[in-house]
Amino acid sequence: MENFLEKILAEKQIEVAEMVMERPGKVREVKGFIERLRENPEILQVIGEVKRASPSLGAINMTVDVLEQATSYAAAAVSAISVLTDPVFFKGSIDDLRLVAQNVDVPVLNKDFIIDKKQIARAVNSGATIVLLIVACLTEKDLQDLYDYAISLGLEVLVEVHNAEELAVAHRINAELIGVNNRNLKTFEVSLQNSLDLVALQESGRFYISESGIKSPVEARKVAHDFRAVLVGEALMKDGKPKAAAKGLQVKRHVD
């Protein structure tokens, strides 16, 4: 079985070694993602993703007009836009993120395999307001260090987990935004059950997002009760009407 995560991290080490450490500027001013979640508890929020390709699927939408896709998401009132910036495996670039951030008035997530402060500083300077930290990619100490650094700059941080052990780590570092990825990063197989299995371990005062495997309102409704948002890439990238598709995922939640 091919281990995608190992391959990606090996390539990421090379990429980061060649990056310069930028002096981080101010985070782009926009109403924050957490604030948007707090204001809309009765509706499942959507993070629409700009994603050309993936290691498991290959090309998803290589000819996408990044700006058109992002503005379609914004017009659908998504609560954030995720932009893949990994060039090798996902065919993205930091220029994609910069273009989106300059043209939308919503939070933008730098979706990448972040292993170094260099990437976080670059994200800020490119217009990101949220960065992704993946528990599986880092030691707990490095995760905590990068989390604290990002927060100190004024960024929001989405901490991604895949199982109960990683969820416990996310709780320990005091993550407020926690994404449960339904995709196994080693095999890239997807199961929505991954999110449902971790519901019993959720803690109050945190915001949980279900990531991957959300293809339609059917899947959205399955997670709506226990998750505040869904992160959706492939389904929206393949849909000819991304605005309508993103709107359709904003299903009602049962607020206790």
Side-chain angles (χ1 to χ4, degrees):
M1 179 70 72
E2 190 169 19
N3 188 322
F4 286 110
L5 186 59
E6 281 184 8
K7 286 181 66 178
I8 291 168
L9 289 177
E11 190 66 40
K12 197 59 57 177
Q13 294 280 3
I14 297 167
E15 181 187 326
V16 168
E18 296 173 355
M19 286 174 66
V20 296
M21 181 63 188
E22 300 176 18
R23 181 190 294 272
K26 284 190 171 182
V27 174
R28 183 171 60 93
E29 288 190 22
V30 65
K31 183 189 286 187
F33 178 57
I34 289 174
E35 189 178 349
R36 290 165 191 256
L37 294 180
R38 285 201 177 106
E39 287 180 353
N40 300 285
E42 72 288 345
I43 299 292
L44 183 71
Q45 298 301 299
V46 172
I47 304 172
E49 187 159 87
V50 178
K51 176 178 176 179
R52 289 190 178 88
S54 83
S56 58
L57 294 167
I60 295 170
N61 184 345
M62 292 299 292
T63 59
V64 66
D65 181 318
V66 168
L67 185 54
E68 187 178 321
Q69 188 79 10
T71 52
S72 292
Y73 293 160
V78 298
S79 53
I81 296 173
S82 170
V83 183
L84 257 300
T85 56
D86 174 78
V88 176
F89 297 94
F90 293 87
K91 310 306 178 191
S93 80
I94 199 68
D95 291 333
D96 290 342
L97 187 144
R98 198 173 286 117
L99 179 66
V100 171
Q102 287 170 351
N103 288 281
V104 300
D105 191 28
V106 295
V108 173
L109 167 68
N110 188 175
K111 184 85 173 288
D112 208 326
F113 295 79
I114 291 178
I115 57 173
D116 195 282
K117 289 180 180 178
K118 293 178 190 175
Q119 294 162 284
I120 296 174
R122 183 184 73 165
V124 170
N125 292 343
S126 301
T129 61
I130 318 167
V131 291
L132 180 75
L133 292 178
I134 303 171
V135 175
C137 295
L138 300 157
T139 66
E140 187 168 339
K141 182 185 183 303
D142 287 345
L143 177 67
Q144 184 79 69
D145 288 348
L146 291 175
Y147 183 88
D148 291 345
Y149 177 66
I151 293 292
S152 76
L153 296 179
L155 289 162
E156 294 182 299
V157 182
L158 177 60
V159 176
E160 182 175 292
V161 306
H162 300 83
N163 54 42
E165 185 181 13
E166 291 177 6
L167 181 58
V169 173
H171 288 161
R172 282 200 297 273
I173 71 160
N174 207 27
E176 194 170 4
L177 285 171
I178 298 175
V180 178
N181 198 339
N182 300 309
R183 187 184 306 280
N184 182 311
L185 280 186
K186 293 179 179 177
T187 65
F188 268 60
E189 293 172 348
V190 178
S191 172
L192 203 62
Q193 191 61 39
N194 209 41
S195 280
L196 302 177
D197 287 346
L198 296 184
V199 166
L201 301 176
Q202 289 183 0
E203 296 181 354
S204 62
R206 306 183 197 266
F207 298 92
Y208 296 87
I209 293 101
S210 183
E211 306 172 4
S212 302
I214 314 293
K215 297 174 182 174
S216 72
V218 174
E219 290 83 16
R221 290 189 191 97
K222 286 180 180 177
V223 298
H225 180 67
D226 299 297
F227 291 83
R228 296 300 298 274
V230 288
L231 189 152
V232 187
E234 182 189 343
L236 296 179
M237 291 298 295
K238 288 182 172 179
D239 197 298
K241 297 179 179 178
K243 177 184 172 182
K247 270 283 187 195
L249 296 173
Q250 295 171 41
V251 299
K252 287 187 178 180
R253 298 181 67 246
H254 301 290
V255 183
D256 294 332

